[in-house]
Amino acid sequence: MNIYVELFSIILYNYLILFALGVFCIMDVLKISAKSNPNSIAGALAGVIREKGIAEMQSIGAGALNQAVKAIAIARGFVAPSGIELICIPALPTSDTLTVGSLASIC
């Protein structure tokens, strides 16, 4: 069997398991503004991660992205004693996530 087919099968199987566990259910997005308090965001982020195991943040603009990055660093301090390691995956928006003319970072 082709190595790519095997790899795809393993990835698909893992996604199906995660979907069955509800990891890919529709989740609320933590929307961050430039005026958001990083400590408040961090508390919300830590709570969502403890509850669901995954969180999504959205920021539009440099100031909001700055607050989001600070919040991630603070939230890491909140969840690290529990043995949870945060992983952030920045992404640009797709046509189904935002309206036309907007830019965002999703973590």
Side-chain angles (χ1 to χ4, degrees), residues 52-69:
K52 297 185 178 182
I54 190 169
E56 184 175 345
M57 298 170 63
Q58 186 179 69
S59 61
I60 299 175
L65 181 60
N66 182 46
Q67 298 302 81
V69 171

Side-chain angles (χ1 to χ4, degrees), residues 36-58:
S36 296
N37 181 342
N39 289 315
S40 299
I41 302 165
L45 181 60
V48 170
I49 290 188
R50 284 187 182 118
E51 182 181 321
K52 297 185 178 182
I54 190 169
E56 184 175 345
M57 298 170 63
Q58 186 179 69

Side-chain angles (χ1 to χ4, degrees), residues 7-61:
L7 182 59
F8 178 75
S9 298
I10 293 169
I11 292 170
L12 180 61
Y13 178 75
N14 288 336
Y15 275 113
L16 290 174
I17 290 173
L18 291 173
F19 184 76
L21 293 173
V23 172
F24 291 117
C25 63
I26 296 174
M27 68 178 108
D28 294 329
V29 177
L30 298 173
K31 295 187 178 184
I32 315 301
S33 77
K35 296 180 181 181
S36 296
N37 181 342
N39 289 315
S40 299
I41 302 165
L45 181 60
V48 170
I49 290 188
R50 284 187 182 118
E51 182 181 321
K52 297 185 178 182
I54 190 169
E56 184 175 345
M57 298 170 63
Q58 186 179 69
S59 61
I60 299 175

Side-chain angles (χ1 to χ4, degrees), residues 43-107:
L45 181 60
V48 170
I49 290 188
R50 284 187 182 118
E51 182 181 321
K52 297 185 178 182
I54 190 169
E56 184 175 345
M57 298 170 63
Q58 186 179 69
S59 61
I60 299 175
L65 181 60
N66 182 46
Q67 298 302 81
V69 171
K70 284 191 235 179
I72 293 167
I74 294 167
R76 183 177 182 271
F78 292 163
V79 299
S82 307
I84 300 171
E85 186 66 35
L86 293 186
I87 298 171
C88 178
I89 304 172
L92 292 174
T94 59
S95 60
D96 62 331
T97 59
L98 291 174
T99 58
V100 176
S102 302
L103 288 180
S105 290
I106 301 171
C107 296

